[in-house]
Amino acid sequence: MPAHFKLIKEKLLSENWFVLRNYTYELTTSSGETIRHKREVYDRGNGATILLYNRAKNSVVLIRQFRMATQVNGNESGMLIETCAGLLDDDTPEDCIRKEAIEETGYAVGKVEKLFEAYMSPGGVTELLHFFAAEYDESLRDNAGGGVEDESIEVLELSFPQALAMIKSGEIRDGKTIMLLQHAQLAGWLQP
């Protein structure tokens, strides 16, 4: 049985990059007990991510870019290997991921497959991420990739076994990327 929720107070803490609010609320549990909580919630909007894969080459296209939050949390270089991703802004998830694929990887993907949606850090972040996959080949290469304006993105084409080994070695530690690589393995698109 779901808990009963009652909002007591909402306070805006920051609207610098995205929106950070502090919420005070009460939950009434199924046993009738009322518990008061105070939580900060970061609203950065929803996003989309895509795994580009090539069955014939048994390969994937990933990107490497600097992520300040990982640097703050012990990743000395701040560099993270990831699947292409971006915030929806005013786009549909599919339109967003097509645009991000061209900007970040240089591939103008054709047919994309919507796989699933997931909350990536529901304890404090509102973002719902839409997961996609699409096949790529050199005929879809539109540009060199690398991102736009203030982005500095390195495009990586890796064999699928190499990408899986990088999860085990800790070189790939991004949740969305691990989820998509494991989905590709379970779906049998590529050979480990």
Side-chain angles (χ1 to χ4, degrees):
M1 180 174 172
H4 174 73
F5 165 82
K6 179 181 177 187
L7 181 63
I8 305 297
K9 182 179 174 186
E10 174 183 335
K11 180 180 178 185
L12 179 66
L13 301 176
S14 175
E15 341 179 64
N16 185 30
W17 183 247
F18 298 110
V19 178
L20 180 63
R21 288 189 172 91
N22 184 282
Y23 293 93
T24 303
Y25 59 94
E26 291 180 346
L27 286 178
T28 304
T29 65
S30 58
S31 67
E33 180 183 6
T34 299
I35 304 167
R36 186 170 280 212
H37 292 270
K38 193 172 188 178
R39 300 287 187 271
E40 291 179 359
V41 177
Y42 189 58
D43 185 353
R44 55 175 309 217
N46 296 326
T49 186
I50 189 165
L51 177 66
L52 301 180
Y53 67 98
N54 183 302
R55 291 178 202 259
K57 293 171 68 173
N58 200 40
S59 62
V60 294
V61 170
L62 302 176
I63 61 169
R64 183 185 343 247
Q65 64 180 323
F66 180 78
R67 295 295 196 181
M68 182 64 187
T70 73
Q71 200 281 329
V72 168
N73 195 26
N75 179 10
E76 287 184 26
S77 72
M79 300 303 286
L80 201 64
I81 296 173
E82 311 175 46
T83 50
C84 169
L87 293 175
L88 300 185
D89 297 322
D90 294 324
D91 293 329
T92 66
E94 187 172 324
D95 288 343
C96 168
I97 208 56
R98 288 178 182 283
K99 179 174 68 175
E100 293 293 334
I102 291 172
E103 290 173 0
E104 293 185 2
T105 71
Y107 287 97
V109 293
K111 180 184 171 199
V112 298
E113 180 182 355
K114 174 83 179 270
L115 303 173
F116 52 87
E117 300 171 0
Y119 290 101
M120 297 304 294
S121 190
V125 180
T126 61
E127 182 182 30
L128 178 66
L129 196 58
H130 302 264
F131 287 74
F132 291 86
E135 292 197 58
Y136 78 94
D137 62 43
E138 287 309 310
S139 71
L140 300 176
R141 175 68 81 177
D142 182 71
N143 62 65
V148 294
E149 300 162 8
D150 64 346
E151 295 177 315
S152 178
I153 294 171
E154 179 185 357
V155 180
L156 307 171
E157 184 176 33
L158 304 170
S159 73
F160 190 57
Q162 181 183 8
L164 292 176
M166 291 171 80
I167 295 171
K168 188 172 183 177
S169 72
E171 293 172 87
I172 293 178
R173 295 190 285 172
D174 174 63
K176 68 185 178 299
T177 304
I178 293 168
M179 291 168 70
L180 281 169
L181 291 170
Q182 290 179 343
H183 186 89
Q185 184 174 11
L186 291 170
W189 299 333
L190 302 166
Q191 298 305 309

